[in-house]
Structures are given as structure tokens and as C-alpha cells.
Amino acid sequence: MKHDIRGLEISTSSETAAKKLDLAVADYLDYGTGAGSLVKEALGEDPDCALAQCYRGYLLMMLENRAVFPKIQETLDRLSAGAELNPRERLHVKALQAWVKGDLFNACLAWEEILETYPLDLMALKLHHTMAFYTGRSNVLRSVVSGVLGEWDEDTPGYSNVQGMYAYALEECGDYEQAERWGREATERNPEDLWAIHSVAHVMEMQGRTKEGTQWLDLPADLWPRKNFFKAHVWWHAALFNVAERNYDRAFQLFDNELSSTNSDKYIDVSNQAALLKRLEIAGVDVGDRWDLLAEHSATRINDHILPFRDAHFCLALAAKGNFDIARQHIESMAVFARSGEGWTAEATKTTLIPLCEAIVAYEAGEYARACDLLWPMRNELAPIGGSLAQRDLFTQILIDAAVKGGRLTTARSLLSERVARFPHNKPSWSQYAQVLSDLGETDRASRAAAHAGA
Ligand SMILES: [Fe+2]
């Protein structure tokens, strides 16, 4: 029996294996590129180490590819068949088993069970944070991070990671002031903490502080050479601020140089790229042939159904490119999956993802009335597909655009009134609002909105 850096027991006799796992967790939390190799090295030291086997399973799950599922199940079967496990390791096996079945809800519960007894299990906390995010449950995010916070202090290794997670959880719950305070403190403690930097960017996005956001993320492109794919998402936030500030050249520069890694499987890459292109198109900007690669890649993933949020963006890329037949095949495949699958992923696909994708396809096909009819009732109920408030905001923007293009001006007026109240510094929204008010003959209100747009 050895201990990790925070004093938790690991069933291994190898000190080196335990140290390698510490490094793997730190690398994983810091969005480095070495966690997989470090876990492999730990297994090289002790092939029977159950925690290392679980970590390998977790990292394989993060590949978001069903092809690796049998390999993970094999590991799980071996671990369940009588390997030496302490109670914490048994719960990690339980979490991984639920996750591989798409049962994100019970995976989260297993990590919560770990954290109740072992609040310093940073890997359990981060995985819970990620899955609570994938299932769109902001209150669960906040509840669990704040639930362990009392057992952490600035001397505990990884404290800034916890601060960054708490910042994000607070932001998603609308507590922007506290979120920014915790996020900034985390970045001061660790200036390369991408999650914390990103949490502060979320606060600025939600408060419509777009100019400040461009400055917060006005960073040298080569700043993070040893960070993994997640850095592209931070650049995506920079691009959003620039779209809102109408710095379209900068947004394209970020898309072309930092976002469009070709044929990436990662949910985050697909959603970054598709969401940025669609936001630019809604702003009236021609994106050229940038949908092509994304649509081509999406066509190869229509039967995956790993994450509803990723499926929504595959569908968007296919429909935006005009590949409607494949987009419809994708929706049919979702329906088959929803009928036969189990757990959160299948349920969210059935209740939320399929109608959302029907709306997306209708919108891209120019059937704006149908898109509005489908999207309006669910516009505030999209959380189960996962993602952040800022990410899901794209679907509200699509609804507004459909309402404008479909001549449903009172619908558009209501949505834009809500939007400018929420994002008072967002010039494109004020501009759209002014146009809709003008089209409705409300000239005085239109002038006042136009003044905000030009301010
Ligand atoms: Fe984000």
C-alpha cells in the first residue's frame, strides 16, 4: 500500500507507480499532453495497480470513440473479478462502469460517493466536474466542488485547480462576482491554469464584457506549447469576444490558426469550429469554404452518439454545408440509439437532442417557421445536452435568426429584448434589435437600440 501526494491510499507496492499516477493527475488537470504516457509508465511499474487501470480507462473514455469501449470493458471485467481494491478504488471501478454505459448520472454519483469520504481525490473531482458539465447540471457542479472545498487549503497540491473549478461552477450558476474572484485567484496562483483562465472568460462572456474579454485573452499564440486540445477552446472564447466586437479578421485568424485542427474526434473541437462559423454567418459574415472539412468529418461520425452536445454540432455542420440527406440519417441513427441505449446519454438524445437537431436542419433548409416552432418551446430547456451556457447560447441565436428570416418579428422582438437585457454590451444584438423594432414600425425604440449598437 502506497499513498498519493494528498495522502490517499493506493493499492500498489510500487512507490514509482504511485508517483507516476500523481504526475498523471497533475498533467490531466493542467491540460498537458503526458497523462496517458505517465499512466502507462505506472502500469509498467505495477501492471496490477487497479487505480492505474481505472485511470487508463478514464483516459480512453476521454478519446470519445466507441472503438475503445471493448478494451475498457475488458479491464473492468478483470478488476471486478477479484482484483485487490480498496473502497475508493472500488468506487472508481463503479464510476468507469457507469460511464462506459453512457450512464453519466450514475458515474457522477459514484464520484460523489468517493468525494464524500475522500474529498482530496482530485481526479474524481475533475471527472465529476467534466461529467456534470456534459449533463448540463450547474447546481451539481457547484454543490460538489463547494462540498469538498472545506477540506482543501492553499498548501494542498492542486488547490488552484479546485479554485478554477469552483470559479466555473459559480459562473454557470450566475454568481459572476464570486466566480471572477475565485478564477482570478487561481490564475494568479497558476498563470497557466487554462480552466481558470477560461472560467474568467466565461464570466466576461455572460456579462457581455466583450472588449475586456478580447483583452483578457489577447495572448501570444505560442503561449501554451505543452497544453492539449483544450487550449483551442480558450481561443474559441477569444474568437467569440472578437465576433461581438466585430473584429471578424481576428476571429478568422483564430479559426484558421488555432481552432481548425483537421478531423479531430474531440467534442470540443467540433463544437468550437461549428459554433464559431455559425455565429459568424448569423452576423452576416461569409465564412467561405470553412464548413467543408468539418462536414466531411461529421459525416464519418453520425453513428457514434457519445455526447449529445457533440452530435448537435455534427448535425449543424452537415446541415450548414447543405448535406441534408446525411443530417437526416444522423437524426435517424440518434433515434435508434435513443431506443436501444441506456442512461443519461440515450435519454437526453431522445428528449432534447433529436428535436434540437430537427430544428437545426429545418433552419438550415430555410424552413424558418418550422425551426421556430421546434426551438421556441425548448429554448430554455436545452441543458440536458450538456455544454456551457455560452455554448448553448448558439441555439438561441439560431432561433432569433430563424424568427427574423421567417418574418416572426414579435418572436424576434421578445428574444432580442431578453438578449440585450442579458448582454447589454453586445453590439450585434442591439443592432439586430434595432432592425426588428424598425421593421415593426417602432421607430423611437429602434433609434434608441441603434444608439446602443453604435456605442
Ligand atoms: Fe467555455
Side-chain angles (χ1 to χ4, degrees):
M1 184 73 70
K2 298 292 174 194
H3 293 87
D4 77 2
I5 197 169
R6 284 167 285 274
L8 301 178
E9 288 181 350
I10 303 175
S11 302
T12 180
S13 55
S14 167
E15 190 67 40
T16 313
K19 289 220 170 344
K20 295 277 183 193
L21 290 184
D22 278 338
L23 292 172
V25 172
D27 186 84
Y28 180 68
L29 268 286
D30 283 345
Y31 296 97
T33 54
S37 310
L38 287 159
V39 170
K40 204 171 169 185
E41 288 170 27
L43 285 166
E45 295 293 329
D46 178 2
D48 296 326
C49 176
L51 197 61
Q53 292 181 60
C54 276
Y55 283 5
R56 186 178 58 177
Y58 288 149
L59 295 174
L60 286 172
M61 283 304 295
M62 295 308 283
L63 295 178
E64 301 168 11
N65 190 330
R66 280 189 190 277
V68 301
F69 284 17
K71 198 171 169 183
I72 300 168
Q73 193 56 56
E74 221 173 86
T75 304
L76 283 164
D77 292 344
R78 206 170 43 246
L79 288 170
S80 308
E84 267 200 29
L85 303 169
N86 66 33
R88 183 172 71 99
E89 290 159 350
R90 258 197 295 279
L91 286 166
H92 273 292
V93 172
K94 190 175 166 186
L96 181 58
Q97 183 67 75
W99 188 5
V100 82
K101 284 182 177 172
D103 188 356
L104 302 186
F105 184 81
N106 278 308
C108 281
L109 281 182
W111 288 312
E112 286 174 32
E113 214 177 324
I114 293 174
L115 291 164
E116 192 185 322
T117 313
Y118 312 99
L120 301 186
D121 188 329
L122 188 55
M123 192 67 168
L125 184 64
K126 181 65 176 178
L127 290 165
H128 180 280
H129 195 68
T130 308
M131 293 310 135
F133 161 78
Y134 281 169
T135 52
R137 294 178 301 151
S138 312
N139 289 333
V140 176
L141 274 175
R142 184 177 56 183
S143 155
V144 171
V145 186
S146 56
V148 301
L149 209 54
E151 298 301 312
W152 285 75
D153 57 47
E154 56 188 39
D155 296 324
T156 318
Y159 181 58
S160 71
N161 297 128
V162 179
Q163 287 185 302
M165 282 188 259
Y166 192 40
Y168 181 74
L170 289 166
E171 177 278 322
E172 287 295 293
C173 289
D175 189 348
Y176 301 127
E177 200 182 318
Q178 285 298 315
E180 186 163 354
R181 185 175 76 74
W182 281 86
R184 283 185 184 273
E185 208 177 307
T187 60
E188 278 158 24
R189 206 174 292 279
N190 176 5
E192 290 211 353
D193 188 329
L194 292 192
W195 192 250
I197 294 168
H198 161 263
S199 301
V200 175
H202 265 273
V203 172
M204 292 173 178
E205 175 71 24
M206 296 315 292
Q207 292 186 316
R209 292 154 59 191
T210 52
K211 195 173 183 59
E212 222 180 318
T214 62
Q215 291 157 357
W216 176 247
L217 296 179
D218 183 18
L219 302 164
D222 57 356
L223 185 63
W224 299 312
R226 285 181 297 279
K227 298 291 186 188
N228 66 20
F229 60 89
F230 184 72
K231 64 185 171 189
H233 181 66
V234 181
W235 292 124
W236 176 77
H237 277 278
L240 291 202
F241 291 133
N242 279 286
V243 171
E245 287 293 308
R246 295 173 174 153
N247 302 328
Y248 301 129
D249 288 347
R250 175 66 178 146
F252 278 128
Q253 190 190 30
L254 287 163
F255 183 92
D256 294 336
N257 297 339
E258 314 302 338
L259 266 65
S260 56
S261 52
T262 49
N263 273 9
S264 162
D265 276 3
K266 294 292 178 195
Y267 108 87
I268 196 86
D269 281 338
V270 177
S271 59
N272 288 337
Q273 294 171 50
L276 178 56
L277 292 183
K278 185 43 59 189
R279 283 164 195 254
L280 282 160
E281 284 189 339
I282 289 171
V285 181
D286 181 357
V287 303
D289 61 3
R290 288 179 176 84
W291 284 112
D292 293 4
L293 250 187
L294 204 54
E296 197 183 298
H297 170 60
S298 300
T300 68
R301 317 300 304 195
I302 59 171
N303 298 314
D304 277 8
H305 315 305
I306 304 277
L307 292 170
F309 194 79
R310 191 174 74 151
D311 267 336
H313 287 81
F314 284 151
C315 191
L316 172 61
L318 289 165
K321 174 64 188 155
N323 295 347
F324 293 111
D325 287 349
I326 306 175
R328 291 195 195 290
Q329 280 175 37
H330 186 202
I331 295 175
E332 281 163 23
S333 175
M334 288 175 206
V336 172
F337 168 74
R339 279 197 298 273
S340 58
E342 53 182 308
W344 182 280
T345 312
E347 189 61 24
T349 297
K350 184 170 71 182
T351 60
T352 315
L353 176 66
I354 292 174
L356 173 63
C357 288
E358 295 279 6
I360 289 169
V361 170
Y363 165 76
E364 293 294 347
E367 298 164 13
Y368 299 121
R370 177 168 157 73
C372 287
D373 288 343
L374 284 162
L375 263 179
W376 173 269
M378 66 185 309
R379 69 192 187 288
N380 294 315
E381 314 291 343
L382 291 170
I385 67 158
S388 63
L389 289 165
Q391 285 173 312
R392 291 195 300 272
D393 181 53
L394 174 67
F395 305 116
T396 305
Q397 292 189 39
I398 287 175
L399 172 57
I400 293 169
D401 200 44
V404 170
K405 287 177 174 154
R408 294 200 176 180
L409 295 182
T410 52
T411 301
R413 179 179 62 189
S414 165
L415 290 164
L416 285 160
S417 169
E418 180 184 341
R419 191 162 187 79
V420 296
R422 193 164 168 190
F423 305 112
H425 304 292
N426 188 292
K427 292 176 195 172
S429 296
W430 278 109
S431 182
Q432 239 184 336
Y433 192 30
Q435 186 60 53
V436 166
L437 290 169
S438 169
D439 291 347
L440 282 165
E442 297 182 41
T443 47
D444 288 350
R445 288 185 200 283
S447 302
R448 286 202 290 277
H452 280 284

